[in-house]
């Protein structure tokens, strides 16, 4: 729509070859899966597993393969959802990284948890909030570094 007079007219993805883009997107999604497995595994063992098993009769945890595939797809969606922001943000890399992690936490964690305020107990909301923060926050930071505008030195 409106672009600054000194701008290039939009967000360009031509500063890297497509193979580099693919590897970086896959790396971001893979990082999310690793964080998901570690953080969710701990949270499940310490908090959520016993709660859900006691509250919902017949709850079955899916097979690890199913979880890995679904979370990898989710990781791809998370990485791609923050891509326009990390490409358009003009501040320094540290600020971009913190904002990207914060945006992912707010929109993929905090907002959905607000809809559960009166249905889930506070301890579960708190544990789930920390779980989501520790998964998507670092993913957003990594995506900002992996997919942000390529800086040329010279």
């Amino acid at each position: 729509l409106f672009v600054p007079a000194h701008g290039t007219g939009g967000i360009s993805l031509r500063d890297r070859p497509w193979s580099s883009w693919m590897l970086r997107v896959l790396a971001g999604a893979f990082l999310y899966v690793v964080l998901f497995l570690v953080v969710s595994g701990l949270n499940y063992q310490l908090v959520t597993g016993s709660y859900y098993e006691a509250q919902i009769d017949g709850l079955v945890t899916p097979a690890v393969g199913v979880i890995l595939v679904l979370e990898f797809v989710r990781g791809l969606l998370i990485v791609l959802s923050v891509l326009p922001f990390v490409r358009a943000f003009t501040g320094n890399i540290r600020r971009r990284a913190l904002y990207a992690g914060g945006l992912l936490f707010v929109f993929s964690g905090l907002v959905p948890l607000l809809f559960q305020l009166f249905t889930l107990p506070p301890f579960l909301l708190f544990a789930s909030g920390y779980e989501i923060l520790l998964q998507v926050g670092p993913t957003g930071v990594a995506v900002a570094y992996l997919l942000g505008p390529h800086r040329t030195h010279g």
Side-chain angles (χ1 to χ4, degrees), residues 111-134:
V111 170
L113 283 177
L114 290 175
F115 289 106
Q116 302 298 321
L117 275 180
F118 301 107
T119 59
L120 294 176
F123 80 91
L124 193 62
L125 290 169
F126 184 75
S128 296
Y130 261 100
E131 176 185 353
I132 295 166
L133 174 65
L134 294 175

Side-chain angles (χ1 to χ4, degrees), residues 2-10 88 90:
F2 299 100
V3 282
H6 57 69
T8 61
T90 58

Side-chain angles (χ1 to χ4, degrees), residues 23-43:
L23 287 174
R24 290 165 184 267
V25 168
L26 292 174
F30 181 75
L31 172 66
Y32 170 78
V33 171
V34 170
L35 290 169
F36 172 84
L37 289 173
V38 171
V39 175
S40 292
L42 285 171
N43 196 34

